[in-house]
Amino acid sequence: MASARAPLTAATVNHRNQDATCYVGNLSSECTESLLLELFTQAAPVKSVFMPKDKLTGVHNNYGFVEFNTSADADYAIHIMNMLKLHGKPLRVNKSASATGPLNDGVGANLFVGNLDPEVDAKLLHDTFSAFGTLLKPPHVPVDDDGAPKGFGFLSFTTFEASDLAIEVMNNQFLCGRQITLSYALRKDGNGERHGSAAERMLAAATSSSAPTPPSMAPPGLGMPMPGGGMPP
């Protein structure tokens, strides 16, 4: 097993090797950087761990990033760790694009949130909309060259049931004093078409019906078998 490395700091997060970094989402409030380090070291040697935290409360935002030495190690970690349960919640593990930018599009349950108040940030969007279902990745709130929010954001759910419910409940509702709008986001390659199409929904349903039941995993150190048949120290 690789020796423990110091967690990655916010000042150096943008300098990590993105190809060798995994995004880890849907973390419980009990999870710590030390726990992620110990858990993912079971897959391959870990170079660094970073869990963004709220500036005011110091509480993490329910996701983190794990950097490995090689992209092959990161791919292997995704293969064995995605959907494993930690503290009763299935981990969402995939390749990281950046600490703040959007990741992959998932099943296509991606929403555009318009008319946002400048006070609305990614954490507030997460806290508001995670009640409707699991978010595939952290919400994205674009900013201009001066760092000011542009007044809109993006959400990506893991299921269309969650995104449909979010639209039904929150469209035209008020958030921080402003009436927000919700709709399916434009596809990057759709020539003006939006996500949420019948084709995307059929593909998502087919993928869901063929997915295996997620295994459970106790936190390291509790004597439970770990990936690859090993035991925690």
Side-chain angles (χ1 to χ4, degrees), residues 14-217:
N14 290 325
H15 298 287
R16 65 173 182 265
N17 182 355
Q18 303 293 351
D19 290 336
T21 300
C22 295
Y23 161 81
V24 186
N26 201 35
L27 298 175
S28 73
S29 58
E30 304 168 70
C31 191
T32 64
E33 289 179 339
S34 297
L35 180 58
L36 278 189
L37 174 64
E38 187 174 355
L39 176 61
F40 278 82
T41 299
Q42 305 298 322
V46 172
K47 185 176 181 181
S48 59
V49 176
F50 175 60
M51 294 175 65
K53 296 179 174 63
D54 181 86
K55 294 180 180 179
L56 296 178
T57 66
V59 178
H60 72 72
N61 295 323
N62 303 110
Y63 66 92
F65 301 92
V66 179
E67 181 185 11
F68 295 90
N69 290 315
T70 67
S71 60
D73 286 345
D75 290 338
Y76 180 66
I78 292 170
H79 178 69
I80 66 172
M81 295 293 187
N82 187 43
M83 297 301 294
L84 286 172
K85 287 187 177 180
L86 181 64
H87 295 129
K89 302 179 68 174
L91 297 177
R92 307 290 181 182
V93 186
N94 52 37
K95 272 296 179 72
S96 167
S98 70
T100 58
L103 306 175
N104 62 59
D105 284 338
V107 300
N110 305 330
L111 303 183
F112 171 84
V113 189
N115 198 36
L116 292 177
D117 184 90
E119 295 298 320
V120 176
D121 58 9
K123 183 179 187 302
L124 180 56
L125 284 184
H126 176 275
D127 293 345
T128 301
F129 287 94
S130 59
F132 301 104
T134 300
L135 290 167
L136 177 68
K137 54 194 176 187
H140 180 50
V141 180
V143 297
D144 60 23
D145 293 339
D146 296 323
K150 293 184 176 181
F152 59 88
F154 298 94
L155 301 165
S156 294
F157 288 95
T158 57
T159 67
F160 283 108
E161 290 80 6
S163 57
D164 287 342
L165 181 61
I167 292 176
E168 178 183 347
V169 174
M170 293 299 295
N171 187 37
N172 293 323
Q173 294 300 313
F174 286 85
L175 183 63
C176 290
R178 281 196 183 181
Q179 190 175 29
I180 63 174
T181 61
L182 265 76
S183 61
Y184 277 98
L186 293 171
R187 293 172 55 93
K188 295 178 182 178
D189 56 351
N191 296 321
E193 296 180 1
R194 293 185 179 275
H195 285 290
S197 66
E200 282 185 329
R201 292 170 184 271
M202 289 177 63
L203 180 60
T207 302
S208 176
S209 64
S210 61
T213 302
S216 295
M217 175 178 286

